[in-house]
Amino acid sequence: MAELSNFNARVRGLRGRLLKRPDYEPLLNAGNFEDYTERLRATGYGPYMEAAKARYLSDNEAFNAALAANLSGAFELMVKIADGDAARFLNTLLAGWEVSGIKTIIRGIVRGVKKEDILELLIPVGALDRAAIKHLLAAKDVDDVIAFLETWGLPYAAPLKEGLPEYKKSGSLNRMELNIDVFLYRRHVGFKARGLDETILRGLTALRIDIKNIMTLMKIAGEGYAKDAAVGFFIEGATNITKDEFVRLSW
């Protein structure tokens, strides 16, 4: 497809920004972390390091902020140049980053983590841009986070709300996190493309679903879920773990 061919060509052009082998040698020879970050400023990460240095006193904080800003900027650029099927494909993949960010914010709020510490773990991307992150970090509790998502019309509010009663009863975020993961990957399975693009996406999606089903088994182990409840967390579309095997392993 011409749409994806053009998009792929633009993305391949971004590879020129990546560090080359000669770039790593000075970094490997840095005497300490301060020297390392200083040498990093001579690479394509330089502008990001400069901006981060102006905001943070700590080299470690500046380093983390620079890498996050670089990744976020790459995502923003790809979203701008994508259209048609390329945009749908990219948005489907970026949804995983959105969900990861939302779960990180909820965990941080529940555990009383400082907002600035939560912020360090987040990558602004897709619907979870800097403005959205700022609003969510201002939430006073989980109900507030869900209310924000609902107001913005984001589909993640519904699966989170379904798991809210269990959280309020037991204090466990398991149901909410599993619900939003199941929602995300079932949406991946429903993605439609054509030809080789669909084959690639289906292969990638099947692998991610296998991994998610395994991680879900680890999460619900010992939680005492009945078989009927456990099977509700199984995501169809996997290639290595069947539903029967999932239910058996959940016990």
Side-chain angles (χ1 to χ4, degrees), residues 175-231:
R175 173 69 69 170
M176 297 177 71
E177 293 190 349
L178 290 169
N179 280 358
I180 196 173
D181 284 336
V182 169
F183 168 82
L184 171 67
Y185 287 99
R186 283 179 178 165
R187 189 168 73 168
H188 280 15
V189 171
F191 181 89
K192 299 295 182 184
R194 285 165 280 183
L196 181 60
D197 302 321
E198 182 172 6
T199 301
I200 292 172
L201 181 61
R202 287 195 179 281
L204 175 61
T205 299
L207 175 62
R208 295 177 72 178
I209 290 175
D210 268 326
I211 293 171
K212 179 52 63 177
N213 281 336
I214 292 170
M215 295 304 296
T216 297
L217 287 170
M218 299 294 288
K219 185 174 289 188
I220 67 176
E223 292 291 323
Y225 284 108
K227 289 185 178 181
D228 289 343
V231 77

Side-chain angles (χ1 to χ4, degrees), residues 164-172:
L164 197 55
E166 181 172 311
Y167 161 68
K168 291 190 173 181
K169 180 180 179 181
S170 67
S172 172

